[in-house]
Amino acid sequence: MSLTTIAEAVGGRLADVVDPGVQVTEPAVFDSREAGPGSLFVALAGERADGHAFAESAHNKGAVVALVNRPVGVPAIVVDDVLHAFGTLAHTMLTGPLAATRVVAITGSAGKTSTKDFVSQVLPGSVVATPQSFNNEIGLPLTVTMADTTTDHLVLEMGARHIGDIRDLTLVAPPDISIVTNVGTAHIGEFGGRDNIAEAKGEIVEALAPGGLAVLNADDDYVQPMRERAGGSVVTFGLGEDADVRATDLSTDAHGRTSFTLVTPEGSAPVQLQFVGGVQVHNSLAAAAVGRGAGLTPEEIAARLSRAAPRSRWRMETVTRADGVTIVNDAYNANPTSVRHALEALASMSGGAEQRSVAVLGRMNELGDDARAAHEEIGRHAAAQGLDMIVLVGGDEAGWMRDGVRDAGGRATWVPDQEAALGLLHPALRPGDVVLVKASRAVQLQRLVEELLKPAPPAGRLTGGSR
């Protein structure tokens, strides 16, 4: 798109532009270090830095133009509200040059990113998908700019912390297919209850255009009623016999990967997932429903699901050290639903004296008044898995989990910080052990993972004391 076309689309004016016919040919960037020839630099003012201060740097790296709210001395499009204008640009792309691209929108309290990874690898043709978890009013239009006229499908995560958030995202990118993975307790402190979460998630179904497809979890009592909010067709997925796309004959291997028989109205076929954790069955079934809508046969869908590999970091990312210790990095984020699933996956990956299970857990954020009860319940759930060692990292929330472990008759070690956790784990781990590390993103437990993946001192004994 030319600078003139973009300015007209967003209601902006050109500043310091020599040739208004120059075209933006590459995706947008927010980080000037990622700018390159042909890109658009979006200058957002954040809490720590103002993007306007980096417009010149982006220009020097080849950015064609900056989207700004004031002139910055380099070619720019000046608007009143940079973020609003960026969303408008993405919508203009989807209703103009990308009008033939089908939009698959995904939301849910847990599983959005893994479902996105499955969907993007099941769909035929050229597919562009949300990088990492860029699922808000910044990341969604950024993803749109990654597509071009050869893109057949655009797979977009849509996150929310308030009722109306998803509705706003669908106004930018109206979906042709909407997926709701589940309604759990993520961000429940912001929403004020699961009913409100369901109301918010259902906005993605209401946004479907006539002829659109809603893909809904048949095993979730909060998702099922959303079929009444769909203006188009509905297909359900799950384990029950009433689901349109379902899984039977489930089994899990020693690496925590599930195999099953995919059952659809058109036939059945065997699947062997490469993703870790039983919860991935539901995520893969959602993708199967989308693949079915794209005209794939059960055999084609099963083959694509079996080949699909995790593409997003820090989500049940599994690495085995040279000494045989396996680290499962699930530190990208955490809520009660995802932590329970991760603990169950850990239990399925270990067993016996030669393959012990170790859970390293930190706090879950945005739980509001339910925070203490939720952390205590996670402690009880961890104890119920029969794990060999539970290490709880941090302040009060870790203490609440420790209380839950004790209530269930288990034992846990509560340490104040990651350094203490590393000092405890390094001498304790031995070949064959499986270590799960999980907490909300703000805890930054991926740093602990980085240290655990380094060569360890000589192994010692695994203990399970408590504080």
Side-chain angles (χ1 to χ4, degrees):
M1 300 174 72
S2 70
L3 304 193
T4 299
T5 301
I6 295 173
E8 291 175 351
V10 302
R13 64 181 178 87
L14 299 178
D16 299 301
V17 171
V18 176
D19 181 3
V22 171
Q23 293 197 337
V24 173
T25 58
E26 296 296 322
V29 297
F30 293 99
D31 188 334
S32 62
R33 294 169 296 186
E34 298 177 0
S39 63
L40 166 72
F41 176 66
V42 183
L44 289 179
E47 295 179 1
R48 299 181 179 178
D50 185 346
H52 291 75
F54 301 92
E56 183 176 0
S57 175
H59 173 72
N60 292 338
K61 289 181 176 293
V64 174
V65 72
L67 189 62
V68 298
N69 61 25
R70 61 181 183 272
V72 288
V74 298
I77 299 172
V78 182
V79 296
D80 293 332
D81 184 326
V82 172
L83 187 55
H84 177 76
F86 190 41
T88 300
L89 175 60
H91 182 77
T92 300
M93 292 178 64
L94 287 170
T95 55
L98 301 181
T101 300
R102 289 177 61 79
V103 174
V104 182
I106 305 170
T107 196
S109 296
K112 293 186 294 296
T113 299
S114 294
T115 300
K116 171 204 69 181
D117 287 349
F118 277 120
V119 171
S120 65
Q121 294 175 79
V122 166
L123 282 171
S126 174
V127 180
V128 169
T130 301
Q132 302 179 49
S133 284
F134 287 6
N135 60 22
N136 61 10
E137 69 277 12
I138 300 173
L140 184 137
L142 176 68
T143 307
V144 174
T145 71
M146 296 170 62
D148 59 33
T149 54
T150 68
T151 303
D152 297 301
H153 295 92
L154 187 59
V155 184
L156 301 173
E157 284 188 53
M158 294 188 179
R161 283 180 168 81
H162 308 91
I163 291 175
D165 286 353
I166 290 177
R167 183 179 296 112
D168 290 343
L169 295 176
T170 61
L171 291 174
V172 174
D176 298 293
I177 301 172
S178 292
I179 303 172
V180 183
T181 61
N182 50 60
V183 172
T185 53
H187 312 304
I188 196 168
E190 300 285 339
F191 281 106
R194 289 184 74 186
D195 288 337
N196 289 340
I197 295 174
E199 177 65 25
K201 300 301 183 186
E203 292 168 359
I204 204 169
V205 177
E206 292 176 344
L208 283 167
L213 175 66
V215 178
L216 303 178
N217 186 343
D219 298 334
D220 190 307
D221 292 339
Y222 283 86
V223 176
Q224 275 280 41
M226 292 181 192
R227 63 169 54 246
E228 304 301 325
R229 301 166 68 176
S233 302
V234 176
V235 61
T236 60
F237 63 92
L239 303 183
E241 293 186 0
D242 58 338
D244 300 314
V245 176
R246 58 195 179 95
T248 63
D249 309 318
L250 278 69
S251 63
T252 304
D253 66 16
H255 301 287
R257 300 173 303 194
T258 304
S259 62
F260 61 88
T261 300
L262 171 67
V263 180
T264 75
E266 294 74 34
S268 60
V271 175
Q272 171 63 67
L273 297 180
Q274 304 305 311
F275 288 61
V276 173
V279 69
Q280 303 297 352
V281 174
H282 276 85
N283 298 335
S284 66
L285 289 175
V290 174
R292 176 174 175 261
L296 299 179
T297 67
E299 292 78 13
E300 290 172 326
I301 295 169
R304 289 168 183 252
L305 287 177
S306 298
R307 290 195 300 267
R311 290 181 170 176
S312 302
R313 295 200 63 194
W314 307 343
R315 294 170 180 83
M316 299 301 286
E317 186 178 8
T318 304
V319 178
T320 300
R321 299 189 325 200
D323 63 357
V325 173
T326 297
I327 309 296
V328 182
N329 183 356
D330 201 26
Y332 189 86
N333 216 337
N335 61 65
T337 300
S338 66
V339 177
R340 283 195 295 270
H341 290 155
L343 289 168
E344 292 162 6
L346 171 63
S348 72
M349 296 172 68
S350 56
E354 300 303 318
Q355 198 173 35
R356 301 173 302 172
S357 54
V358 182
V360 183
L361 306 176
R363 73 175 184 272
M364 302 175 290
N365 289 340
E366 298 182 339
L367 297 177
D369 294 339
D370 295 329
R372 180 163 193 151
H375 283 88
E376 290 176 349
E377 175 55 32
I378 286 299
R380 288 190 288 271
H381 193 72
Q385 303 309 307
L387 307 177
D388 294 287
M389 186 178 187
I390 302 171
V391 180
L392 308 170
V393 184
D396 290 342
E397 295 86 355
W400 297 337
M401 285 190 282
R402 188 274 314 269
D403 293 343
V405 173
R406 285 180 172 178
D407 289 346
R411 303 171 67 200
T413 301
W414 176 16
V415 296
D417 52 36
Q418 297 192 44
E419 183 177 358
L422 184 66
L424 174 70
L425 292 166
H426 255 333
L429 298 175
R430 69 190 189 199
D433 291 344
V434 183
V435 185
L436 167 72
V437 181
K438 188 163 182 64
S440 281
R441 181 69 179 275
V443 182
Q444 298 285 295
L445 276 191
Q446 75 274 6
R447 296 174 181 172
L448 175 62
V449 173
E450 292 170 359
E451 294 301 318
L452 286 173
L453 289 175
K454 295 178 181 178
R461 293 193 308 165
L462 183 66
T463 59
S466 61
R467 166 178 157 183

